[in-house]
Amino acid sequence: MQTKPAPTARPIPVRAPRFALDGDIPRAWLAGSPLASHTVNALSLLFPEGERFFIRSVKHYEDALDADPALRARVRGFIGQEGRHGHEHDRFNRMLARQGFALDAFFDFYTRTGWDLIEPRVPPHLRLATTVALEHLTATLAELALDTPILDDAHPEVRRLLFWHACEEIEHKSVAFDVL
């Protein structure tokens, strides 16, 4: 039996698309359903700080990757992509605030609890393992978004944002695991 060589890891490009989130996007942007829209909105509220947590968790081990330049390059791509995701979801969340959603109290609680209180008390290897688990979850959600009609009736610009994010989640889904 002939064995195939292991696939070569592809580089992870950092893209900077622009999304028209300042326009007229309705509050019920997903199939006209407030429930469906707010379910995805709730995920978006978590994304910017969550993406920055992923970056910190992986970046902590960057110096240990000197022996593996290919993985180090993929980590740089991962960091770039996650940074862009955080930036664009910050913009999406500002759109939600302009629509009248009171988000400041949530963001204050989320930041104080997750990043100021809990994160410093968790050792780096558990933060990385948490990142691996959450990257698996986001890649699973990405496959759902891309392989089902769930976003077919979304506002076109929001659908573009979510499809871009989903594609990149699939593209870098193994990086945190490979670092672990």
Side-chain angles (χ1 to χ4, degrees):
M1 174 190 287
Q2 188 173 7
T3 61
K4 291 199 260 184
T8 304
R10 294 181 184 156
I12 298 173
V14 179
R15 301 169 187 90
R18 289 293 295 174
F19 302 97
L21 300 174
D22 298 327
D24 187 27
I25 297 174
R27 285 173 66 114
W29 57 265
L30 181 51
S33 166
L35 177 62
S37 300
H38 297 330
T39 299
V40 180
N41 291 348
L43 284 172
S44 184
L45 296 179
L46 302 175
F47 283 150
E49 289 303 325
E51 303 286 13
R52 291 186 267 278
F53 168 75
F54 297 165
I55 290 168
R56 289 189 302 275
S57 297
V58 170
K59 196 173 180 83
H60 178 83
Y61 291 94
E62 199 169 27
D63 290 342
L65 304 177
D66 287 340
D68 190 343
L71 180 55
R72 193 176 181 93
R74 291 176 59 234
V75 163
R76 282 192 301 274
F78 170 88
I79 289 169
Q81 285 188 349
E82 294 292 46
R84 293 301 311 161
H85 298 167
H87 173 77
E88 293 303 326
H89 281 279
D90 274 333
R91 291 185 64 237
F92 183 84
N93 293 343
R94 285 193 298 273
M95 177 202 73
L96 295 176
R98 285 191 306 275
Q99 290 179 342
F101 295 104
L103 304 176
D104 290 341
F106 168 77
F107 287 134
D108 182 55
F109 173 79
Y110 182 47
T111 300
R112 279 186 300 107
T113 304
W115 318 122
D116 298 339
L117 180 67
I118 297 172
E119 183 181 358
R121 290 168 172 79
V122 175
H125 69 280
L126 288 180
R127 293 193 306 259
L128 182 59
T130 300
T131 297
V132 169
L134 292 172
E135 281 293 311
H136 179 72
L137 173 66
T138 56
T140 301
L141 292 173
E143 285 188 34
L144 178 71
L146 295 170
D147 290 343
T148 70
I150 196 164
L151 295 176
D152 284 359
D153 294 325
H155 183 280
E157 203 60 16
V158 178
R159 183 175 52 242
R160 240 182 96 232
L161 166 69
L162 296 175
F163 279 170
W164 161 75
H165 191 163
C167 288
E168 290 195 349
E169 286 301 320
I170 302 253
E171 196 168 48
H172 70 239
K173 70 181 179 180
S174 67
V175 172
F177 179 82
D178 291 345
V179 171
L180 183 68

